[in-house]
C-alpha cells in the first residue's frame, strides 16, 4: 500500500476511535485484524483472564469484538482486489453513468416534435422538457449519496437505476406536457445514483496513485452521454418518433442493468466489514447454542450504531448540506462545477437553434454537430488517462513519497483557459455566420475543458473526503445540477436580446473570473484549508 493510503487508513482509524470511543470503553476488546495483531490480542486476553489462546470464541457476554480486515493484504478488501476485478467494477459503473446522461439530453433535438404534438408554445416550457431531468440530478444525490454510505454502493446504484428505468420508459407514453415533465423529473432522480456514487466506487477500490486513469474512464460517461444522446436522438426523432427516444434508451438500460446485477460487487468497506461481523456473530451464536462459549458483541471499526433510519434522517441526509456549508473546498469547486455544467446544458439546448436557423441544417444533420462536443470530451479523457497519475506520482516523488490531493490540480489550469476561449469562439462565430466548422471548434474546446476540469475536481474530492466521498460529490452535484436545469431556461431570452456574440462574451468573462483563480487557490492554500476540515483527511 502507498504511503498516502496508509495515512488514509490510519487517519480513518483515529477518527473512528474518537467517534466510537472504543479505546476508552469500559468493556474488554479484541481486534480482528492482521494475524500479528490478533495473536497479541488473544495473548493479552489469556494473560488477564486465563483463557486458552486457541479458543477465541470463549469470551465474556459483555465483550466487544472489533472487526477489521485480515491484515493489510486481505484480498476481500476492495483496494486489494485484482486489477481485472477493479476494472470490471469501474466499467460497470461507467456504463451506468453513461445511460442516464444520454437520456437527459437525447430528447433535445426532438423537443419540437413534442411541442407540436402537445401544443406547447412557450419556449421556456419546451426547454424545461430537456432540463427538468437535470433538476432530478440535483435532488437525487442528496438521498443517494448518504444511502450508499449506509447500505452500500452496489445496492443503491442498481435500485436507483431501476427507478430511472421505470420512469424513463413511462416518458414514452406521456399524453401531455405535465406528464412528460413529471416523468422526466423522477427519471432524473433515479438516474442520479450512478453519477453520485461512481466516483466513490473508484475511491473504494483504487489507491490514490491509480485513481487518475480510473476516474478518466468513469467520468467520461456523465459528460459524453449528453453529447452523444442528441446525435442519436436527432436521427430517431427524424425517422421514427420522439417516443422511441425514450423506449430505445430503456432497452439499452435493461441490458446494462443485467450486466450490473452480475458484475457489480459491493466496494464500500464499512458495509463489507459489517457483513463479516454478522458472519462471525452467526458462527459464535451457533457455538453458544452448542454450549461451547458465551456470545460476544461484534462491532466493525466503523461502528454499527449508524445503520438505522434515525441515523439516516438525523445525520446522513443532512451531511451533504453540512459538508457544503462547512467546507470551503466544496464551495469553491462546487461553484466552478455548477457554472461549467450550466454552460454545458445551455449549449445542448441552444445548438439546435444555432444550426437549424443560422445554418439551415436538418434535424438529423444538426445532431452531428454534437460530435464536436463529444470528440472534445474523448480527447480530454484520453489526455487525462495518460497524464493524471504521472503528474501525481511526479509531485509525490518530489514530496518524499507523500501524496497530496492538490497534485490533481494542474489539469484544471488548461481547462480554466480553454473553457472561456471555447465559449467566446462559439458565440462570435455563430453571430457572424462563419463556416460551421469554426463553431464546432469552439464547441470542441468547451467539451475538452469540461472533462479536464470535472475529472480533476471529482478525483480531488475523492482524495480529500475518502470516507465521505459520496456525500462530498452529492453536495457539489446538487448545485451543479440546479445550474444545469436553470441555465437553459434563460438562454434563449439572453441570446435574443444580446445576440450569440455578446451573450457568450458575458459567459466567457464569468468563466474567467470564477475558473482562473480556482486552481491556484487550491495549489497554494488547499492543504491549509483541509487542515481545518472535520471531514477531510489530514495528509
Amino acid at each position: 500500500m502507498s504511503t498516502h493510503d496508509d495515512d488514509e487508513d490510519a487517519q480513518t482509524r483515529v477518527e473512528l476511535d474518537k467517534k466510537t470511543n472504543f479505546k476508552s470503553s469500559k468493556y474488554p476488546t479484541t481486534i480482528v485484524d492482521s494475524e500479528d495483531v490478533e495473536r497479541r490480542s488473544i495473548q493479552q486476553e489469556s494473560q488477564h483472564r486465563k483463557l486458552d489462546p486457541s479458543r477465541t470464541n470463549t469470551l465474556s457476554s459483555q465483550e466487544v469484538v472489533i472487526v477489521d480486515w485480515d491484515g493489510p493484504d486481505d484480498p476481500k478488501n476492495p483496494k486489494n482486489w485484482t486489477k481485472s476485478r477493479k476494472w470490471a467494477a469501474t466499467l460497470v459503473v461507467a456504463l451506468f453513468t453513461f445511460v442516464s446522461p444520454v437520456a437527459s439530453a437525447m430528447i433535445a433535438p426532438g423537443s419540437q416534435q413534442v411541442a407540436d404534438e402537445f401544443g406547447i408554445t412557450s419556449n421556456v416550457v419546451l426547454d424545461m422538457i430537456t432540463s427538468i431531468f437535470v433538476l432530478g440530478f440535483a435532488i437525487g444525490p442528496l438521498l443517494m449519496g448518504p444511502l450508499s454510505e449506509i447500505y452500500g454502493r452496489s445496492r443503491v446504484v442498481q435500485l436507483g437505476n431501476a427507478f430511472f428505468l421505470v420512469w424513463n420508459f413511462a416518458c414514452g407514453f406521456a399524453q401531455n406536457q405535465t406528464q412528460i415533465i413529471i416523468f422526466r423529473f423522477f427519471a432524473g432522480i433515479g438516474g442520479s445514483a450512478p453519477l453520485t456514487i461512481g466516483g466513490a466506487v473508484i475511491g473504494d477500490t483504487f489507491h490514490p496513485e491509480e485513481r487518475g486513469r480510473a476516474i478518466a474512464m468513469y467520468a467520461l460517461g456523465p459528460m459524453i452521454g449528453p453529447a452523444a444522446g442528441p446525435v442519436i436522438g436527432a436521427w430517431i426523432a427524424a425517422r421514427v418518433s420522439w417516443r422511441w427516444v425514450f423506449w430505445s434508451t430503456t432497452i439499452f438500460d435493461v441490458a446494462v442493468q443485467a450486466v450490473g446485477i452480475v458484475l457489480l460487487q459491493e466496494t464500500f468497506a464499512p458495509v463489507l466489514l459489517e457483513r463479516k461481523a454478522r458472519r462471525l456473530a452467526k458462527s459464535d451464536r451457533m457455538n453458544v447454542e452448542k454450549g461451547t462459549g458465551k456470545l460476544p458483541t461484534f462491532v466493525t471499526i466503523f461502528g454499527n450504531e449508524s445503520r438505522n433510519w434515525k441515523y439516516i434522517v438525523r445525520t446522513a441526509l443532512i451531511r451533504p448540506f453540512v459538508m457544503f456549508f462547512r467546507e470551503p473546498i466544496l464551495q469553491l469547486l462546487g461553484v466552478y462545477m455548477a457554472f461549467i455544467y450550466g454552460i454545458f446544458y445551455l449549449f445542448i439546448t441552444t445548438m439546435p437553434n444555432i444550426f437549424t436557423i443560422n445554418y439551415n441544417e436538418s434535424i438529423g444533420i444538426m445532431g452531428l454537430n454534437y460530435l464536436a462536443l463529444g470528440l472534445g470530451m474523448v480527447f480530454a479523457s484520453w489526455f487525462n488517462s495518460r497524464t493524471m497519475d504521472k503528474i501525481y506520482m511526479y509531485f509525490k516523488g518530489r514530496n518524499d513519497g507523500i501524496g497530496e490531493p492538490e497534485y490533481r490540480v494542474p489539469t484544471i489550469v488548461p481547462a480554466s483557459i480553454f473553457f472561456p476561449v471555447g465559449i467566446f469562439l462559439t458565440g462570435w462565430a455563430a453571430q457572424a455566420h462563419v463556416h460551421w466548422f469554426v463553431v464546432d471548434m469552439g464547441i470542441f474546446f468547451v467539451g475538452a475543458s469540461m472533462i479536464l476540469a470535472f475529472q480533476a475536481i471529482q478525483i480531488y474530492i475523492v482524495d480529500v473526503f475518502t470516507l465521505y466521498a459520496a456525500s462530498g460529490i452529492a453536495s457539489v452535484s446538487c448545485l451543479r445540477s440546479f445550474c444545469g436545469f436553470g441555465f437553459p431556461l434563460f438562454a434563449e431570452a439572453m441570446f435574443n436580446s444580446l445576440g450569440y456574440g455578446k451573450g457568450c462574451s458575458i459567459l466567457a468573462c464569468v468563466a474567467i473570473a470564477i475558473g482562473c483563480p480556482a486552481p491556484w487557490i487550491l495549489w497554494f492554500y488547499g492543504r491549509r484549508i483541509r487542515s481545518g476540515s472535520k471531514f477531510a483527511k489530514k495528509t
Side-chain angles (χ1 to χ4, degrees):
M1 297 179 72
S2 68
T3 303
H4 178 69
D5 213 55
D6 290 337
D7 290 343
E8 282 186 357
D9 292 341
Q11 181 64 27
T12 299
R13 282 167 171 77
V14 170
E15 291 175 356
L16 291 166
D17 285 339
K18 293 177 180 178
K19 180 177 172 182
T20 55
N21 204 26
F22 285 143
K23 289 190 175 182
S24 62
S25 173
K26 64 181 180 180
Y27 301 121
T29 61
T30 298
I31 301 176
V32 182
D33 194 349
S34 64
E35 292 180 0
D36 184 55
V37 174
E38 185 173 8
R39 191 183 307 112
R40 289 199 303 268
S41 298
I42 296 172
Q43 289 172 350
Q44 291 173 358
E45 287 293 327
S46 64
Q47 289 174 1
H48 290 291
R49 307 173 60 182
K50 308 301 183 184
L51 297 179
D52 181 355
S54 65
R55 295 186 60 191
T56 60
N57 290 323
T58 309
L59 305 169
S60 73
S61 60
Q62 288 186 318
E63 179 142 12
V64 177
V65 179
I66 304 176
V67 182
D68 197 349
W69 301 116
D70 296 331
D73 300 319
D74 187 350
K76 294 180 181 179
N77 183 344
K79 282 189 171 65
N80 296 328
W81 285 357
T82 62
K83 287 186 177 181
S84 60
R85 193 175 178 186
K86 290 182 180 182
W87 280 107
T90 302
L91 288 172
V92 172
V93 172
L95 281 174
F96 275 120
T97 56
F98 175 75
V99 175
S100 57
V102 163
S104 72
M106 200 168 174
I107 192 59
S111 59
Q112 190 57 51
Q113 289 186 0
V114 179
D116 294 340
E117 182 169 337
F118 294 155
I120 301 173
T121 57
S122 170
N123 289 323
V124 173
V125 174
L126 193 59
D127 289 336
M128 187 179 293
I129 290 175
T130 299
S131 65
I132 192 67
F133 193 99
V134 189
L135 183 61
F137 280 178
I139 305 300
L142 302 177
L143 179 66
M144 303 296 180
L147 286 179
S148 77
E149 293 169 355
I150 297 172
Y151 297 113
R153 316 296 196 196
S154 177
R155 187 179 302 175
V156 176
V157 166
Q158 296 192 54
L159 290 177
N161 185 72
F163 190 79
F164 155 76
L165 191 153
V166 170
W167 289 106
N168 188 68
F169 183 65
C171 286
F173 295 96
Q175 299 301 310
N176 53 59
Q177 67 183 46
T178 302
Q179 288 183 4
I180 194 170
I181 288 174
I182 293 174
F183 295 166
R184 290 268 293 167
F185 173 71
F186 283 119
I189 291 177
S192 69
L195 298 177
T196 308
I197 300 168
V201 171
I202 303 298
D204 292 341
T205 53
F206 288 88
H207 299 303
E209 61 271 16
E210 303 170 329
R211 289 173 188 161
R213 181 170 296 181
I215 209 76
M217 175 176 291
Y218 153 74
L220 186 60
M223 294 294 99
I224 200 173
V231 178
I232 303 169
W235 288 100
I236 293 176
R239 295 181 177 273
V240 189
S241 77
W242 64 267
R243 296 184 184 275
W244 272 100
V245 170
F246 297 107
W247 294 336
S248 60
T249 51
T250 301
I251 292 170
F252 179 70
D253 191 46
V254 169
V256 173
Q257 183 77 27
V259 172
I261 291 174
V262 175
L263 296 181
L264 186 58
Q265 303 176 57
E266 184 53 56
T267 64
F268 194 44
V271 171
L272 292 174
L273 289 177
E274 188 176 275
R275 292 175 182 174
K276 178 180 179 180
R278 285 198 294 266
R279 290 194 299 269
L280 292 172
K282 182 178 179 181
S283 175
D284 268 47
R285 192 175 297 112
M286 293 175 62
N287 289 334
V288 169
E289 291 173 355
K290 294 176 181 178
T292 58
K294 295 182 180 180
L295 185 64
T297 300
F298 289 89
V299 181
T300 74
I301 62 167
F302 299 96
N304 291 349
E305 78 285 356
S306 62
R307 310 297 178 177
N308 55 66
W309 283 101
K310 183 178 179 181
Y311 174 84
I312 295 172
V313 175
R314 185 186 61 196
T315 304
L317 293 185
I318 66 171
R319 184 185 293 142
F321 296 101
V322 173
M323 290 183 69
F324 186 81
F325 287 109
R326 290 186 177 179
E327 301 291 340
I329 287 176
L330 292 179
Q331 295 167 9
L332 176 65
L333 297 179
V335 170
Y336 187 40
M337 289 183 74
F339 180 77
I340 293 176
Y341 207 63
I343 296 297
F344 182 50
Y345 273 90
L346 182 148
F347 267 55
I348 286 174
T349 55
T350 303
M351 283 172 63
N353 285 341
I354 292 176
F355 291 103
T356 57
I357 296 175
N358 287 21
Y359 295 92
N360 298 315
E361 294 178 354
S362 66
I363 293 178
I365 298 300
M366 177 276 300
L368 295 177
N369 292 282
Y370 287 95
L371 290 175
L373 201 61
L375 288 173
M377 295 174 176
V378 171
F379 171 78
S381 185
W382 170 83
F383 178 82
N384 274 344
S385 70
R386 299 295 297 271
T387 60
M388 285 184 74
D389 288 337
K390 291 181 180 179
I391 292 172
Y392 183 90
M393 292 301 294
Y394 170 77
F395 285 110
K396 179 180 176 181
R398 294 185 60 182
N399 194 34
D400 298 326
I402 300 175
E404 301 277 3
E406 284 70 37
Y407 300 158
R408 309 295 185 182
V409 169
T411 54
I412 304 178
V413 175
S416 66
I417 297 171
F418 288 115
F419 188 63
V421 169
I423 296 173
F424 186 86
L425 181 60
T426 300
W428 283 107
Q431 179 78 27
H433 292 250
V434 299
H435 195 275
W436 57 264
F437 182 78
V438 181
V439 180
D440 281 354
M441 279 299 299
I443 294 172
F444 175 90
F445 282 130
V446 169
S449 301
M450 285 189 58
I451 284 292
L452 288 174
F454 263 59
Q455 290 183 348
I457 290 172
Q458 194 160 41
I459 197 170
Y460 182 88
I461 292 173
V462 171
D463 284 354
V464 172
F465 304 101
T466 307
L467 188 61
Y468 303 107
S471 289
I473 293 173
S475 67
V476 296
S477 296
C478 178
L479 182 61
R480 85 182 188 195
S481 297
F482 274 124
C483 288
F485 164 71
F487 273 42
L489 302 183
F490 70 77
E492 186 168 358
M494 180 183 69
F495 290 136
N496 286 341
S497 176
L498 301 175
Y500 292 117
K502 291 182 179 180
C504 284
S505 294
I506 293 174
L507 297 175
C509 289
V510 176
I512 293 172
I514 296 176
C516 289
W520 303 105
I521 292 173
L522 289 176
W523 184 260
F524 290 107
Y525 301 104
R527 182 180 176 87
R528 186 184 305 176
I529 295 172
R530 287 188 288 113
S531 65
S533 169
K534 176 182 177 182
F535 298 97
K537 298 296 177 195
K538 281 68 172 181
T539 58

